[in-house]
Amino acid sequence: MDKMYKENNLSKNQQIIFDLIDKSSEPLKAYTILFSVQKKGIKAPPQVYRALDKLVETGKIHKIESKNAFVACRNSNCEISKATAFSICESCEMVDEINDDKLTKYLTNFSDKKGTKYKRFNLEFFGLCKKCK
Amino acid sequence: MDKMYKENNLSKNQQIIFDLIDKSSEPLKAYTILFSVQKKGIKAPPQVYRALDKLVETGKIHKIESKNAFVACRNSNCEISKATAFSICESCEMVDEINDDKLTKYLTNFSDKKGTKYKRFNLEFFGLCKKCK
DNA sequence: TTTAAAATTGTTATAATATAACATTATGTA
DNA sequence: TACATAATGTTATATTATAACAATTTTAAA
């Protein structure tokens, strides 16, 4: 092959899957993604999971742990997923990334009773979004 | 049957599974639990998951979302799992519940840019525990 | 520009996590 | 008692994720 896909830094499968997640207004699950990209030649779970792993690793997407689903990063400050926070609507399932410098600073600097600091955190808030209230 | 198991408020299966989790020094996964309690007559996944659901619901245990595993609640202040925080060692996998009034207050009172407050949160910190440092 | 290492892809099979659905028994309370 | 609710037992299956291996593409160094 001669036309390479590296204007940016994503491989073909990574780009396809990132685009899908990035355009989505809601978190996408791995198998939902799989079904959506089968027409593009991505046919098996490992292809999806490998792309997801890489995208998470590079901070392009985040995993919403409580939902086993993935969203595109909307926060230029989250520094490769070291400090993530989300609001999750318990009614409509909507997820928003929270980008709040004070919160990030507070948690990044948090040290527990033994004085231990942590290099990474993930915070998930649950409640009702504006629409659902 | 005439001997009832209600000095406390847990049913038989709930008590068996809670005891196991409570005694464990590490988070337990559902199928690990299943294998451990088969000798006590709990033979199928739904029995385990139902007990886990109930125990989570009542705040006796918490689910560590990033590990799909369960720990006993060590925090009398977490009010039925409305405000949970954990430290997770990336090396030895140890999990500790964080019981920090200031942190709880800060997050319970947190409101996002739209002024929305949330009724529940779960926070997971990742790093190295004292032993692994 | 060859070439070797690293990254990515493709593929099959299977492991691990979780729930649906239905029948039955036990428990709490009017 | 007798009715509603909760808990249990059971089979089957859905959902989420990885192991293992072969092949190709990309990167970057010689």
Side-chain angles (χ1 to χ4, degrees), chain A residues 4-6 29 31 45-46 49-50 63 68:
Chain A
M4 291 303 97
Y5 33 77
K6 291 279 190 156
K29 291 174 161 261
Y31 276 75
Y49 281 100
R50 280 189 297 226
K63 182 172 188 180
N68 298 317

Side-chain angles (χ1 to χ4, degrees), chain A:
Chain A
M1 201 188 271
D2 52 345
K3 181 68 194 323
M4 291 303 97
Y5 33 77
K6 291 279 190 156
E7 285 90 43
N8 48 53
N9 49 356
L10 297 182
S11 74
K12 179 168 133 282
N13 288 1
Q14 287 160 23
Q15 189 68 61
I16 289 168
I17 287 171
F18 175 73
D19 287 345
L20 190 69
I21 295 171
D22 192 41
K23 278 173 202 136
S24 174
S25 62
E26 55 182 17
L28 294 181
K29 291 174 161 261
Y31 276 75
T32 305
I33 293 168
L34 176 57
F35 297 138
S36 298
V37 298
Q38 279 183 329
K39 48 199 146 198
K40 302 213 171 170
I42 297 176
K43 289 173 188 154
Q47 295 176 289
V48 172
Y49 281 100
R50 280 189 297 226
L52 290 173
D53 286 350
K54 198 68 178 182
L55 291 167
V56 166
E57 210 179 295
T58 57
K60 304 280 291 180
I61 65 172
H62 302 303
K63 182 172 188 180
I64 307 301
E65 294 288 355
S66 61
K67 300 172 79 68
N68 298 317
F70 299 85
V71 296
C73 177
R74 304 296 185 205
N75 180 351
S76 52
N77 293 334
C78 73
E79 284 186 53
I80 311 189
S81 304
K82 286 199 163 26
T84 50
F86 304 94
S87 65
I88 301 171
C89 177
E90 288 175 318
S91 171
C92 73
E93 311 281 290
M94 185 220 57
V95 172
D96 261 352
E97 187 163 2
I98 292 172
N99 187 341
D100 185 304
D101 285 350
K102 269 185 75 181
L103 177 66
T104 300
K105 243 175 222 164
Y106 185 90
L107 293 175
T108 299
N109 293 328
F110 175 81
S111 72
D112 65 22
K113 283 169 177 162
K114 296 167 190 157
T116 307
K117 285 201 177 193
Y118 298 93
K119 64 180 189 207
R120 188 162 71 82
F121 68 80
N122 180 52
L123 171 58
E124 299 182 2
F125 281 106
F126 302 87
L128 291 177
C129 72
K130 277 218 156 139
K131 278 186 192 167
C132 291
K133 242 181 264 181

Side-chain angles (χ1 to χ4, degrees), chain B residues 4-5 29 31 46 49 63 68:
Chain B
M4 292 303 99
Y5 31 76
K29 291 174 162 261
Y31 275 75
Y49 281 100
K63 182 173 188 180
N68 297 317

